[in-house]
Amino acid sequence: MDEDVKAGTPVLLHLDSSADRREGSVTRELGAAYARGWLARHPGAAYRYRDLTAEPVPLVGEGYVRLGTRAERQGAVPLEKVAALAEGADEEREWAATLPLVTQVREATTLLVGAPMYNFSVSAALKAWIDRVSFPGAYVDPDDGRPLLAGTRVVVAAACGGGYGPGTPREGCDFQLPYLRAYFATLGVAGENLRVVRAELTRARDIPALGRFRELGERSLAGAREAMRELAESF
C-alpha cells in the first residue's frame, strides 16, 4: 500500500478506455457517476484514476513474455522477488512498467472499469492494460494459493452501439461481456463481487439504420444510469 494511504482505507481504482474523450462517451458518463457516488459514501477514501486512451499502457513485449514464463514455471512468485528473476535490461524494463499497475490492482478495494464495445469486444486500450496486469501468479497468495482478489469488488460500466441481448440477431457476437466476466473470474474475483451495467443501442440516436430502435436505446441508457446510481449507493 502506498505510504499516503492508511491500512484499511477504501481504494477506488477507476479506469476509462473509451477513445471518445468528449462528454458524449456513455461509459465515461456511467463510470463518473459511480465514482461520484462511491466517493460520497467513502469520505477520506483513496481515488486513483487512469485514462487508458490519454495515458495508454504499453503493449507487452518479448521481455514480458520471457520473464512471465520464467516466473510461472516456479509457481506463485511473490512480487518482491520477481525483479531478481529478470535477465537483461529488456526484462527489467518490462517489469518496471508492470509492477506499479499490478500493485494498483492488488491495493484496490473496488475496481471500476469503463468498457465500450469495439468490434464485438473490448477496446485495444483496455486489452493492453489487461495483458500488462495479468502477470502470472500476481494475484495468488504464494503461501497457500488463495486468490488475492476474492474480496475485491469490480464494477464494469459498459456500452455498445447496437443490440446484443438475448434473442437479438447479434446475440452470438457479444464477446465483450462474456470476455470480461471470464477474465475477472479467472483473476480470482468472486462472482458476487462483480457487477456489470451496460447501455445498449447507444448509436441508435445518430445512425439512421438504427433509428427505429432509438426509444429502446434511450430506455437502456436510462436504466444503466439508474443502475449505476443504485450501485454507487450500495456496492
Side-chain angles (χ1 to χ4, degrees), residues 16-19 25 27 113-118 121-123 126 157-160 176:
D16 269 325
S17 65
S18 172
S25 168
T27 58
V113 182
M117 177 186 283
Y118 288 172
S121 188
V122 300
S123 69
L126 179 55
C160 54
Q176 177 198 34

Side-chain angles (χ1 to χ4, degrees), residues 17 31 41 48 58 94 123 131 150 163 165 169 177-178 182 186 206-207 221 223 227 229-230 235:
S17 65
R41 282 199 306 120
R48 294 166 178 158
E94 289 285 354
S123 69
D131 288 346
L177 297 192
T186 301
D206 65 292
I207 295 181
L221 179 55
R229 185 190 65 78
E230 294 177 353
F235 185 75

Side-chain angles (χ1 to χ4, degrees), residues 1 8 13 20 45 49 68-69 72-73 110 120 124 152 156-157 159 162 220 222 232:
M1 182 73 71
L13 175 57
D20 186 354
Y49 175 77
T69 300
E72 194 168 26
R73 286 171 177 163
T110 300
F120 307 128
T152 304
V156 176
S220 179

Side-chain angles (χ1 to χ4, degrees), residues 1 9 23 35 50 61 85 92 126 129 167 170 201 211 226 229 234:
M1 182 73 71
T9 299
E23 293 183 356
R50 181 160 183 159
L85 299 178
E92 291 173 355
L126 179 55
W129 177 86
R170 287 192 168 183
L201 294 164
E226 178 62 17
R229 185 190 65 78
S234 61

Side-chain angles (χ1 to χ4, degrees), residues 85-110:
L85 299 178
E87 298 180 357
D90 185 27
E91 293 186 17
E92 291 173 355
R93 282 192 298 268
E94 289 285 354
W95 183 240
T98 302
L99 179 58
L101 300 180
V102 170
T103 301
Q104 281 189 342
V105 175
R106 286 179 36 152
E107 291 181 349
T109 56
T110 300

